[in-house]
Amino acid sequence: MFTQLFTALFAADLANDDYVGFTFFIGSMAMAAATVFFFMERGRVEGKWKTSMLVAGLITFIAAVHYYYMRDYWAATGTSPTSLRYIDWILTVPLMCVEFYLILKALGAKIGLMWKMIGFSVLMLVAGYLGETVFRDSSAIWGAISTIGYIGILYEIWFGSAKKLAASAQNPALKKAFTALSWFVLVGWAIYPIGYMAIETDGLLRNVLDPSSMDLIYNIGDAINKIGFGLVIYGLAVSSKEQSPAAA
Ligand SMILES: *C/C=C(C)/C=C/C=C(C)/C=C/C1=C(C)CCCC1(C)C
């Protein structure tokens, strides 16, 4: 009975030297734990931060479910779960753009800013997916197209209207959180193109990186970015409570 239950729940098999597999298992558990945390803590924060906390929890929840499946896929095939990976990203990366909008909304951010950032993220991910699947032999070109979307998001938060709105904020905690999130996008997200460059046909780092390091790099990136992002928002939500309400 117990063994049957165990096999049903943990059908995936993990070899002792499968380090990429380790990160799939750790990733699925870490995302699940973070989801519980963000949903539970949501009840503790001030009303205006509840939506941001909900979205932070949704991001890790969507990732937790995909990691559960990616983990099994990797364990069964030893190959990249590319489609599951990009389905996860096409849902979670736009939600991270929504987080920027939610933080800046009280400062007068327009909904167009959110859609612009989402548009850039879709370009980034669709091009990346095509480079990893249909047009793998010309992955470098698709990687370059994808980078245009990435730079679009970077421009918006480091120099564009998002940056200007954040600079106008009175709340120092909000400014700090915005800067932290911007660093996540600049440094944390830059991890992904490095993984992509492991593609064996024409990846720029194919002579340095083993093809399997792509999943290792993506998994580390996801844990840092999705959980870290949520924690910054949580920190902002909690710190605002400690200040006088007028300071927001
Ligand atoms: C939670 C998932 C996140 C934050 C995923 C982010 C993914 C990227 C920033 C991917 C970027 C890519 C490029 C900039 C060029 C090469 C192709 C990609 C899709 C790996």
Side-chain angles (χ1 to χ4, degrees):
M1 170 66 191
F2 178 74
T3 19
Q4 271 168 336
L5 187 68
F6 189 83
T7 353
L9 283 175
F10 304 102
D13 217 353
L14 184 65
N16 289 335
D17 58 351
D18 180 0
Y19 302 112
V20 181
F22 280 16
T23 59
F24 274 114
F25 272 76
I26 294 171
S28 80
M29 252 9 257
M31 296 294 181
T35 305
V36 174
F37 179 79
F38 293 139
F39 283 159
M40 300 289 281
E41 289 297 300
R42 183 180 168 272
R44 240 166 47 94
V45 306
E46 233 181 281
K48 63 175 180 176
W49 295 117
K50 285 197 192 298
T51 314
S52 305
M53 287 295 289
L54 174 69
V55 174
L58 286 176
I59 291 169
T60 51
F61 174 72
I62 293 167
V65 174
H66 284 85
Y67 265 83
Y68 185 79
Y69 288 106
M70 288 200 286
R71 196 193 68 150
D72 287 0
Y73 186 101
W74 174 268
T77 67
T79 60
S80 287
T82 309
S83 299
L84 286 165
R85 173 84 71 193
Y86 276 86
I87 294 168
D88 172 332
W89 287 356
I90 203 85
L91 296 168
T92 51
V93 177
L95 283 175
M96 295 169 108
C97 299
V98 171
E99 289 285 36
F100 274 103
Y101 167 71
L102 288 174
I103 287 182
L104 300 175
K105 208 170 84 172
L107 302 166
K110 302 221 168 57
I111 193 87
L113 168 68
M114 183 188 89
W115 287 114
K116 198 157 129 194
M117 290 178 69
I118 290 178
F120 281 133
S121 68
V122 170
L123 168 67
M124 175 178 88
L125 296 173
V126 169
Y129 180 73
L130 291 174
E132 281 195 44
T133 55
V134 194
F135 305 112
R136 208 173 166 85
D137 289 340
S138 44
S139 72
I141 293 164
W142 290 95
I145 297 171
S146 170
T147 304
I148 297 171
Y150 180 36
I151 290 172
I153 299 173
L154 282 173
Y155 180 83
E156 209 47 63
I157 56 178
W158 282 97
F159 307 104
S161 52
K163 170 77 190 177
K164 290 186 188 107
L165 283 168
S168 74
Q170 300 294 317
N171 180 354
L174 194 151
K175 275 193 171 142
K176 233 177 82 188
F178 181 86
T179 308
L181 294 181
S182 303
W183 277 107
F184 268 103
V185 178
L186 182 63
V187 180
W189 290 22
I191 297 172
Y192 299 94
I194 297 173
Y196 182 89
M197 288 178 207
I199 289 182
E200 62 288 346
T201 50
D202 60 349
L204 296 177
L205 296 176
R206 64 182 179 281
N207 297 324
V208 189
L209 293 173
D210 186 79
S212 77
S213 49
M214 173 191 262
D215 283 290
L216 186 69
I217 293 170
Y218 286 171
N219 291 354
I220 293 169
D222 277 357
I224 294 174
N225 288 303
K226 291 185 167 64
I227 300 173
F229 219 77
L231 286 175
V232 170
I233 285 156
Y234 172 66
L236 170 62
V238 175
S239 78
S240 300
K241 199 179 182 177
E242 285 155 4
Q243 290 176 351
S244 71

